[in-house]
Amino acid sequence: MMRTITIAALMACVSTSALAQTQPWLDKSKSADDRAKAAVAAMTTEEKMTLVFGFTDGGGLDKVPDDVVSPAVKADVAAHAVKGSAGFVPAIPRLNIPGQTQTDASIGVRVQGMARTALPSSLATAASFDPQVSEAGGRMIAQEAKASGFNTFLAGGANLAREPRNGRNFEYVGEDPWLAGKMAGGLINGIQSQHMVSTMKHFAVNDQESQRTTVDVTIAPEAMHQSDLLAFEFVYETAKPGSVMCSYNLVNGRWACENEYLLTKTLKQDWGFKGYVMSDWGAVHSTADAANFGLDQFTGFPCCGDHQSYFAPKVFKAALDKGDISMARLDDMATRIVWPLFSSGVFDDPAKVGPIDFKANADVSQKAAEDSLVLLKNDGNLLPLTGVKSVAMIGAHADKGVMAGGGSSGVTPIGGNAIEGLEPKTWPGPVVFMPSSPVEALKTELPKAKIAYASGDDIAAAVALAKSSDVAVVFVTQWMGEGMDGTLELKGNQDALVAAVAAANPKTIVVVESGGAILMPWANQVPAVLETFYPGARGGQAIARILTGKVNPSGHLPISFPASNAQLAHDAIPGFGKPDGVPVHITYAEGAAIGYKWYDVKALTPLFAFGHGLSYTTFAVSDAKAQVDNGALSVGATIRNSGKTAGKGVVQVYVAPADYKAVGWEAPKRLIAFHKDAVAAGASSAAFTQKIDPRLLATYEAADNSWRIHAGTYHVLFGQASDDLPVSVDVMLPDLVWSAVHK
Ligand code: BGC
C-alpha cells in the first residue's frame, strides 16, 4: 500500500515537473508575477476572454441566446458552478487554469440550501476591536468555503457607516477608517491564509442602499481620501486582497465600475494594486469604457433585470476588433485575474469538497461573539446576574434564536431558520434567526433559576411576568438587509414593551440585536443595555454567558449611537422607500466628518459614543507615551485592570490638533491606534507601542496628490472611548509632505 502511494506520488511529481517545461506557470518555484505572465502568454484571445466574463448560478443563463453565451459555456457553468452560489468563471482546462468559484461573504459561506457556520455580523466583530478575532473568523469561513468547493470569497466589506440608516452597515466594519482597515483587513488575512482569493468591497462610497444602482454621490477628493478611500487603502495594505469589487453607485458622475479616478488612478496606479477589479452583480454599464477605465472582470451574468452582456465574447471581441479595447489591455486584465490565483495559493492548493468540523467552527463563532458584545449601560452593577432566582425573558423570539441580517451575506444556518415565515419572505429576506436560543442558553448557565419566556406580543402578559420575576431581560430587534435602508426607530410595539416592562420591574436589562445604531427612547428608564448587533450562530450562548458573567464583556462601539434623528448629517436618504432605479443624487457635504467626527464638529452629544463599551471590571490607561522621531509619531501605553475581575481592556488613542481648522482637518480628533489585551484583576498588561500611520495625522492634497502634515501642537489623547479620554500628551509635529503614490 505504502509502495503504491509513493510510486503514484512520484509519478504525479514527475508528470507535473515534465508539464512545467511546457507550462511554466505550474512551476511553484517561480514568482506569482512570472507565473501569471507565462500563463497569459500561452492563452488564445478566446481563453483570455473566458477570464473576464463571469456567471451566476441560477440566474436564468439557459434563457440567454446561444450567440451571446455558447451552449458549451452554458454546459460548463451548469456542470462546474457550485449550485446556488454567487458566481463562477469557467476554467481553461487546456492550460490547467482552474475555474473561479465565488461565494459570498463576510460572515460565512452563502449558498442557497447549504447550511454553513455564521459568524457574528462584520459590524459585531468590529466591536471586538481585535483584528485577531476577525482573522480567526476569516480562517474558519475560508476553511468551510474551501471544503464546499470555493476558491474566491466576495468578502471584506469596508464601506464606512457614514449613513447610520444604511441597510448594509451590519456587513461593514464601522465608521472609522483605521478601525475599518484593521478589522476588514484581519478578515481578509484570515481568508487568504487558507489559499483563497478575497475581495474587498464595495469600491467606493457605496454608503446608502436606497437607489444603490442609480445614486450619484458627490464628494470632494480630499474628503474621499480622508474617509472612505482611506478605509480601503488601509484594508488593502493590511491584507492585499486579490480582488476588489467595484460598487453599483456613481461617484462624482461616473459609475464606480468604470470610474477611472477610482479604479485606474487611485487603486492601480497610486496604490499599486496588482489583482483584478470585479464588478458587483449587475454594476457594469459599458464594454470599452469599463475595460479601459479599470474594470477587469464582469461578474455575475445574467443578474439583475436588464443586465446586459457587456463583456460577453461577442461584444468584447467586436470592441477588440474595432480597436476600442487594445490587446494589451486584455492581456493586463487576464494577468490581473490569474495573478492572485498564484499569489494566494489557490493554484497550488485547490479547493476540495470535504468534511467540515461544524462543532469547532461554531466555537470560533461563539468566541467572536463573546469578544464583541458591547455592554452599553450597567447602572448599579445589575449585571452580571448572580444569585437570581427568577428571570423573565421577553420578546424577539429569544426562546428560539437570534436575528441575522438579510441579503447576499446571509448564511443558511445549521439547524435551519429558527423562525420561518417572518416578513419579508423574499429578497433581501427571508428574515433569518440563528437557532441559538438565549432562553435555553440562560437555563444552562443558571440551572437553579426559574426562567420563563413571554413573546412580548401581549404587553400586559410580559409586564405580569416581569413583575413576578427578580429581573427582566427584554430583547429587541432591528432587521436590516441589502438593497434597503432602514430607520433608527424600532418597529412595532418594541419601544412600548421596553418602557412597560421597565416600569414594572426596575431591574430590566435590554438586549439589542440590530444591524447598526438604533434610537433608545427608554435608555434612561432601564439600568442595563447589551448591544449584540447580529451575534451569529451561537449568539444565544454568548449572550447568556455575558449576562451571567461567565464571560466579561469587552466589545466597544464601532459606530456612534445618535440621541435622535436630528443629530444625523442628512435629514433624509434620497430615494428612500421608492422603487429601485430612480436616479438620485447626494452630496456628502460633511466630507470626511463621519460618525464621532461629525458629532465633534457639531458639538453634539450622542446617546452612546464611538468606542464606548463597559466591562464587569474597571480599567485605566497608564504609562501613556507619545513621541516624535524624525517626524514620525509613536504612541504607547499600558492597560491596568483596577477592578476585581479578569477582563479584556481596550486602549484607544486619538489625536486632536491644537486648532483642527488651522491644520485643515475635517474634525477635532481622529482615532490613530487601538489595542486590546486580557488583563488579570489588579494586574497591568505589557506595554504596547505603535508607530502611527502618518496619513492619520495629515490632510490629502488633491492638487498634487500628496499627504501633508501641518506643523503644530497636537494633543495625543488616551482612554477607553471617544468621549472618555482622560490622559493627554502633547507633541509637536513638523511640516511633512509626501506623495500619495505608494512606494
Ligand atoms: C452584492 C455583493 C455580492 C453580490 C453577489 C450583490 O448584490 O452587492 O456584495 O457579493 O451581489 O452575491
Side-chain angles (χ1 to χ4, degrees), residues 86 104 154 168 201-202 212 245 248 280-281 408 427 482:
D104 285 301
L154 313 173
R168 292 189 94 172
K201 67 183 187 182
H202 308 88
R212 64 175 171 166
M245 186 189 289
Y248 285 119
D280 201 341
W281 271 227
S408 64
W427 178 263
E482 180 181 335

Side-chain angles (χ1 to χ4, degrees), residues 5-28 94-96 347:
I5 290 171
T6 315
I7 290 172
L10 202 68
M11 283 176 64
C13 219
V14 168
S15 62
T16 308
S17 63
L19 209 54
Q21 304 287 319
T22 49
Q23 300 197 340
W25 54 93
L26 297 181
D27 181 349
K28 290 183 197 176
R94 184 182 75 89
L95 303 177
N96 290 304
F347 198 90

Side-chain angles (χ1 to χ4, degrees), residues 400-685:
K400 297 270 167 38
V402 289
M403 183 173 258
S408 64
S409 69
V411 170
T412 306
I414 292 159
N417 186 353
I419 318 276
E420 297 279 2
L422 294 178
E423 291 295 341
K425 294 187 191 115
T426 53
W427 178 263
V431 175
V432 167
F433 273 72
M434 296 287 149
S436 171
S437 157
V439 172
E440 294 309 318
L442 197 67
K443 285 181 185 165
T444 307
E445 298 302 331
L446 298 176
K448 293 198 184 115
K450 187 173 153 244
I451 292 164
Y453 174 73
S455 74
D457 296 344
D458 176 349
I459 293 186
V463 164
L465 179 64
K467 270 194 179 145
S468 64
S469 308
D470 286 354
V471 296
V473 186
V474 189
F475 290 78
V476 296
T477 55
Q478 175 211 43
W479 189 73
M480 288 290 202
E482 180 181 335
M484 57 171 263
D485 295 316
T487 59
L488 304 184
E489 290 85 359
L490 293 180
K491 294 239 162 22
N493 73 355
Q494 299 189 88
D495 285 336
L497 176 68
V498 174
V501 171
N505 187 332
K507 293 185 176 176
T508 291
I509 300 137
V510 180
V511 176
V512 185
E513 297 162 22
S514 65
I518 61 161
L519 299 179
M520 301 182 189
W522 32 260
N524 289 331
Q525 291 155 254
V526 298
V529 181
L530 180 68
E531 172 62 60
T532 73
F533 298 110
Y534 299 139
R538 288 261 193 86
Q541 283 93 330
I543 291 169
R545 279 162 59 79
I546 283 188
L547 291 179
T548 54
K550 302 277 163 46
V551 171
N552 194 347
S554 64
H556 288 253
L557 288 180
I559 49 171
S560 313
F561 273 49
S564 72
N565 281 315
Q567 294 189 331
L568 304 187
H570 297 268
D571 289 345
I573 301 175
F576 178 79
K578 300 218 174 84
D580 282 347
V582 184
V584 293
H585 179 255
I586 187 159
T587 300
Y588 288 140
E590 76 280 13
I594 300 174
Y596 64 91
K597 296 170 182 165
W598 169 257
Y599 290 78
D600 282 351
V601 168
K602 296 287 167 189
L604 296 168
T605 305
L607 178 62
F608 294 109
F610 173 85
H612 171 73
L614 304 174
S615 164
Y616 296 147
T617 188
T618 47
F619 293 102
V621 175
S622 60
D623 307 327
K625 289 189 187 65
Q627 72 186 56
V628 181
D629 290 315
N630 288 330
L633 175 65
S634 302
V635 300
T638 306
I639 309 168
R640 193 159 53 79
N641 184 340
S642 47
K644 294 197 172 58
T645 318
K648 290 180 183 167
V650 174
V651 55
Q652 298 169 34
V653 189
Y654 296 76
V655 165
D659 180 346
Y660 84 88
K661 287 185 184 151
V663 297
W665 280 29
E666 71 283 357
K669 65 174 185 284
R670 296 173 177 169
L671 178 76
I672 55 165
F674 60 90
H675 177 75
K676 187 171 193 174
D677 222 334
V679 195
S684 288
S685 71

Side-chain angles (χ1 to χ4, degrees), residues 76-122:
D76 189 342
V77 177
H80 297 110
V82 180
K83 291 281 152 288
S85 67
F88 177 68
V89 179
I92 307 174
R94 184 182 75 89
L95 303 177
N96 290 304
I97 304 291
Q100 293 160 54
T101 39
Q102 303 167 331
T103 180
D104 285 301
S106 309
I107 71 158
V109 178
R110 173 192 174 79
V111 183
Q112 271 138 36
M114 197 189 266
R116 289 294 178 264
T117 309
L119 289 167
S121 66
S122 301

Side-chain angles (χ1 to χ4, degrees), residues 268-535:
K268 293 180 177 175
Q269 289 171 1
D270 290 358
W271 299 357
F273 174 64
K274 284 165 76 170
Y276 65 104
V277 175
M278 75 160 75
S279 63
D280 201 341
W281 271 227
V284 187
H285 296 272
S286 59
T287 305
D289 276 357
N292 293 331
F293 292 142
L295 181 70
D296 300 303
Q297 187 181 69
F298 173 131
T299 323
F301 182 80
C303 132
C304 321
D306 60 353
H307 199 199
Q308 297 190 38
S309 55
Y310 292 111
F311 276 27
K314 192 172 145 192
V315 191
F316 204 92
K317 185 75 177 21
L320 280 175
D321 290 345
K322 266 178 78 189
D324 290 347
I325 302 173
S326 67
M327 190 53 81
R329 175 64 186 124
L330 178 59
D331 284 349
D332 177 47
M333 293 160 85
T335 310
R336 286 174 171 280
I337 293 166
V338 293
W339 179 80
L341 299 176
F342 296 111
S343 68
S344 70
V346 163
F347 198 90
D348 302 322
D349 179 17
K352 204 159 115 219
V353 174
I356 294 173
D357 185 347
F358 289 115
K359 158 81 178 63
N361 292 353
D363 289 345
V364 174
S365 180
Q366 181 171 333
K367 178 167 183 309
E370 290 177 355
D371 280 326
S372 302
L373 270 48
V374 189
L375 183 62
L376 293 176
K377 196 175 172 188
N378 193 21
D379 291 355
N381 292 331
L382 175 57
L383 291 171
L385 299 176
T386 46
V388 289
K389 294 201 176 60
S390 55
V391 185
M393 300 282 274
I394 297 166
H397 308 284
D399 59 332
K400 297 270 167 38
V402 289
M403 183 173 258
S408 64
S409 69
V411 170
T412 306
I414 292 159
N417 186 353
I419 318 276
E420 297 279 2
L422 294 178
E423 291 295 341
K425 294 187 191 115
T426 53
W427 178 263
V431 175
V432 167
F433 273 72
M434 296 287 149
S436 171
S437 157
V439 172
E440 294 309 318
L442 197 67
K443 285 181 185 165
T444 307
E445 298 302 331
L446 298 176
K448 293 198 184 115
K450 187 173 153 244
I451 292 164
Y453 174 73
S455 74
D457 296 344
D458 176 349
I459 293 186
V463 164
L465 179 64
K467 270 194 179 145
S468 64
S469 308
D470 286 354
V471 296
V473 186
V474 189
F475 290 78
V476 296
T477 55
Q478 175 211 43
W479 189 73
M480 288 290 202
E482 180 181 335
M484 57 171 263
D485 295 316
T487 59
L488 304 184
E489 290 85 359
L490 293 180
K491 294 239 162 22
N493 73 355
Q494 299 189 88
D495 285 336
L497 176 68
V498 174
V501 171
N505 187 332
K507 293 185 176 176
T508 291
I509 300 137
V510 180
V511 176
V512 185
E513 297 162 22
S514 65
I518 61 161
L519 299 179
M520 301 182 189
W522 32 260
N524 289 331
Q525 291 155 254
V526 298
V529 181
L530 180 68
E531 172 62 60
T532 73
F533 298 110
Y534 299 139

